[in-house]
């Protein structure tokens, strides 16, 4: 058995890597091939989005905005009898990431069941977008994903508060939210 | 007007040497959000931790005596930096935000009642709006906003009109706007407000970095600023108040350090400044702040201001010359190093992200001035803010990058490749 003094003298590794040695943070853009988040595909979706517009026959709809950057997304869904997406349309305004990612999401969506949509995670959404995003930009990319998850619970005709991404209460009452927590900028 | 010797100054700031993720050298133009630290500050804090750190005011032992002396010397340095008549008028707070909240609580709760008015400018930072909204919720007072004109300016006449119309209990305004860059006539507006019997609070967060604060000339009742915007540490700021006012208002945070006596029935407060410094204060941060203020003073606040003006004018003129760019703020002669702008058809976040690829660090968003952005009808702007270590070459890189932004994001008849057809051909 180790005595008390031995334990104190033993060089103890408190941390597997010394926490005080500052290593530059791994950055998604370290790989030069991966550098440009505004890849051609992203700009194509931004300029020529999939199903941008309103859907008069929507059965489910929801809005969301990120007040800090002014990104806004509205999604209209039409679910068929089997609970599959017959049509999905979006309207919005904001940065390239928020709008292009919404277009990509909707393109992916048609024919999917509610279960499939609900199991489509925030991580899946970021993968669908493609270029890796820093945490601050992930919120732009995840806005449409959050609005979509919210829309499933909002049949047209019911009144519901829009999603506001910085609103912790909303995030709490919305168990589907798995995105990063996003504080206010200075 | 002349530039500082930036080659020499930059050697004092280790971080400026690095490259950003894209491999480009850093051009740090986000100084209005926070500045970088010179070695003098890093070393002063490091030295304290290595040689004599201890809690202050409490221990009767060598380290505590030394720490206490350094902490109180930091207060003296700060007092002389702002030309305070008495050292005890300098309260160390966690920052500008904490200082304004202290005033809103301590002065506000005892001096403001229903129907009273707190007057602020439309361009205020949230730190100088929200604590007053909270005071309004507690007391039933109202917060009123002095508007700006179409040139983003606020004239003496408008200030006079609002003072006259609302007869405010408090006029709280920023000496310099963190979004517009405007530098306001602190002394004149303070004296006008005093004529109406208002108490005056100056948010000097954006003035302290490059203006000589003279609390006696300004004559404001409260003046606040943050350490991290003057090359000092985070977690510390200054609440200056006129002595008789600080003595009259009650302590805000209660706890250790701020009491003279505690019984099971109650407590009596310490004298100034301890009365407003409950708990273990930001000791090492105060020492770092003093080192920062000495560093800036040695260079000279007037010279720093002149340097910033030269760079700010270069940014302003350069931006105005680029097609599709709109400067959000007054003409260059009314501001120093801060320039906010909009680029037609490109969101501020995309601008900032794109500029990062050029190594240029700027800020995008509402800069904690949502009411101002709302008044201007925009949700987000991009802001470039210069400081003493920035160079004309860095400004030119910013301008080059901004020129390239538009071509990058211009509509060019792009067509999205259908995902389904892409899948079926692969
Ligand atoms: C004008 C102004 N006031 C207040 C603040 C808040 O300062 P802090 O975050 O250091 O409390 C800032 C900076 O963010 C500012 O620019």
């Amino acid at each position: 058995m180790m005595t008390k003094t031995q334990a104190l003298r033993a060089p103890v590794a408190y941390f597997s890597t010394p926490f005080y040695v500052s290593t530059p943070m791994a950055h998604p853009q370290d790989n030069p091939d991966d550098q440009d988040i505004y890849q051609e595909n992203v700009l194509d979706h931004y300029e020529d989005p999939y199903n941008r517009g309103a859907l008069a026959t929507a059965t489910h709809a929801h809005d969301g905005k990120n007040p800090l950057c002014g990104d806004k997304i509205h999604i209209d869904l039409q679910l068929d009898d089997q609970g599959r997406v017959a049509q999905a349309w979006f309207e919005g305004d904001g940065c390239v990431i928020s709008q292009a990612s919404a277009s990509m999401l909707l393109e992916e969506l048609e024919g999917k069941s509610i279960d499939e949509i609900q199991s489509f995670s925030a991580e899946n959404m970021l993968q669908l977008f493609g270029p890796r995003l820093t945490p601050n930009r992930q919120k732009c990319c995840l806005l449409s994903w959050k609005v979509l998850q919210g829309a499933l619970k909002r049949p047209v005709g019911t009144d519901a508060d829009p999603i506001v991404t910085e609103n912790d209460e909303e995030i709490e009452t919305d168990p589907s939210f798995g995105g990063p927590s996003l504080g206010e900028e200075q | 007007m002349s530039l500082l010797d930036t080659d020499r100054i930059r050697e004092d700031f280790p971080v400026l040497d690095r490259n950003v993720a894209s491999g480009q050298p850093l051009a740090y133009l986000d100084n209005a959000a926070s500045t970088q630290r010179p070695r003098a500050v890093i070393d002063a804090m490091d030295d304290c931790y290595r040689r004599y750190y201890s809690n202050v005011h409490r221990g009767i032992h060598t380290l505590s005596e030394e720490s206490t002396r350094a902490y109180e010397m930091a207060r003296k340095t700060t007092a002389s930096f702002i030309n305070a008549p008495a050292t005890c008028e300098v309260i160390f707070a966690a920052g500008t935000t904490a200082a304004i909240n202290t005033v809103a609580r301590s002065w506000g709760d005892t001096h403001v009642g229903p129907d009273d008015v707190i007057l602020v400018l439309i361009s205020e930072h949230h730190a100088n709006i929200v604590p007053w909204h909270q005071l309004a919720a507690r007391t039933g007072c109202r917060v009123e906003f002095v508007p700006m004109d179409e040139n983003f300016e606020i004239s003496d006449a408008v200030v006079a009109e609002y003072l006259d119309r609302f007869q405010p209990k408090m006029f709280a305004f920023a000496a310099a706007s963190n979004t517009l860059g405007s530098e306001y006539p602190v002394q004149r507006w303070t004296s006008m407000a005093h004529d109406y019997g208002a108490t005056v609070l100056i948010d000097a967060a954006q003035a302290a970095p490059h203006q000589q604060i003279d609390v006696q000339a300004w004559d404001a009742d409260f003046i606040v600023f943050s350490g991290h915007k003057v090359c000092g540490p985070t977690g510390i700021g200054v609440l200056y108040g006129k002595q008789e006012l600080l003595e009259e208002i009650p302590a805000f945070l209660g706890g250790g350090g701020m009491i003279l006596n505690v019984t099971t029935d109650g407590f009596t407060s310490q004298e100034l400044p301890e009365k407003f410094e409950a708990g273990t204060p930001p000791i090492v941060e105060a020492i770092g702040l003093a080192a920062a203020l000495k560093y800036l003073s040695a260079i000279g606040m007037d010279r720093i201001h002149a340097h910033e003006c030269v760079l700010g004018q270069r940014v302003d003129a350069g931006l105005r010359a680029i097609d599709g760019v709109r400067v959000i703020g007054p003409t260059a002669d009314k501001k120093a190093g801060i320039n906010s702008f909009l680029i037609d058809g490109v969101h501020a976040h995309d601008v900032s992200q794109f500029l990062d690829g050029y190594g240029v660090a700027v800020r995008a968003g509402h800069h904690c001035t949502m009411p101002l952005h709302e008044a201007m009808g925009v949700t987000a702007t991009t802001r470039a803010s210069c400081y003493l270590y920035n160079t004309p070459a860095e400004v030119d890189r910013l301008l080059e990058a901004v020129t390239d932004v538009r071509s990058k994001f211009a509509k060019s008849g792009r067509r999205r490749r259908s995902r389904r057809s892409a899948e079926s051909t692969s």
Side-chain angles (χ1 to χ4, degrees), chain A residues 27 29-30 35-38 40-41 43-51 67-71 94-97 103-104 106-110 128 133-134 136-137 139-140 184-186, chain B residues 21-23 33 97 125-126 178 228-229 345-347 349-351 353-354 356-357 363-368 370 379-380 383 408-420 423:
Chain A
H27 195 285
Q29 294 182 7
D30 279 349
Q35 227 175 63
D36 190 3
I37 66 167
Y38 301 109
E40 293 302 309
N41 175 44
L43 291 175
D44 292 348
H45 270 276
Y46 181 64
E47 187 167 344
D48 179 29
Y50 181 78
N51 281 5
L68 296 179
C69 33
D71 297 337
C95 68
V96 169
I97 311 298
S103 167
M104 292 174 184
L106 290 221
E107 190 178 35
E108 187 71 12
L109 206 61
E110 257 159 52
L128 173 70
L133 297 168
T134 52
N136 283 341
R137 291 322 290 282
K139 66 181 167 184
C140 307
E184 193 184 12
E185 55 192 298
Q186 287 301 297
Chain B
S22 65
T97 305
H125 188 281
H126 296 165
N178 68 314
H228 67 99
K229 295 195 204 264
V346 189
H347 192 280
H349 279 191
D350 294 320
V351 175
Q353 183 95 50
F354 185 77
D356 184 51
R363 188 116 209 140
H366 54 57
H367 320 301
C368 294
M370 277 174 129
T379 46
R383 176 183 72 191
K408 173 78 180 184
F409 294 105
K411 300 254 186 238
S412 55
R414 292 172 170 281
R415 308 300 300 173
R416 170 179 43 83
R417 280 208 314 160
S418 159
R419 194 172 172 77
R420 287 170 223 288
E423 270 164 12

Side-chain angles (χ1 to χ4, degrees), chain A residues 3 25 48 67 77 172:
Chain A
T3 67
M25 280 220 288
D48 179 29
L77 293 180
E172 267 166 31

Side-chain angles (χ1 to χ4, degrees), chain A residues 185-186, chain B residues 32-34 94-100 123-128 174-179 203-207 224-229 235-237 338 367-369 383:
Chain A
E185 55 192 298
Q186 287 301 297
Chain B
S34 204
T96 302
T97 305
I100 298 176
S123 51
E124 291 311 314
H125 188 281
H126 296 165
N128 196 26
S177 156
N178 68 314
T179 301
D203 172 354
Q206 296 295 345
V224 301
F225 64 95
S226 296
H228 67 99
K229 295 195 204 264
I236 189 159
I338 296 177
H367 320 301
C368 294
T369 54
R383 176 183 72 191

Side-chain angles (χ1 to χ4, degrees), chain A residues 40-102:
Chain A
E40 293 302 309
N41 175 44
V42 172
L43 291 175
D44 292 348
H45 270 276
Y46 181 64
E47 187 167 344
D48 179 29
Y50 181 78
N51 281 5
R52 185 195 281 276
L55 177 61
T57 55
T59 58
H60 292 70
H62 201 36
D63 289 309
K65 69 175 178 175
N66 177 353
L68 296 179
C69 33
D71 297 337
K72 284 184 211 146
I73 296 285
H74 173 93
I75 292 181
D76 283 331
L77 293 180
Q78 185 190 335
L79 299 183
D80 66 16
D81 301 343
Q82 283 93 51
R84 287 185 178 273
V85 176
Q87 282 194 77
W89 289 73
F90 84 103
E91 285 180 307
D93 187 20
C95 68
V96 169
I97 311 298
S98 69
Q99 303 303 305
S101 59

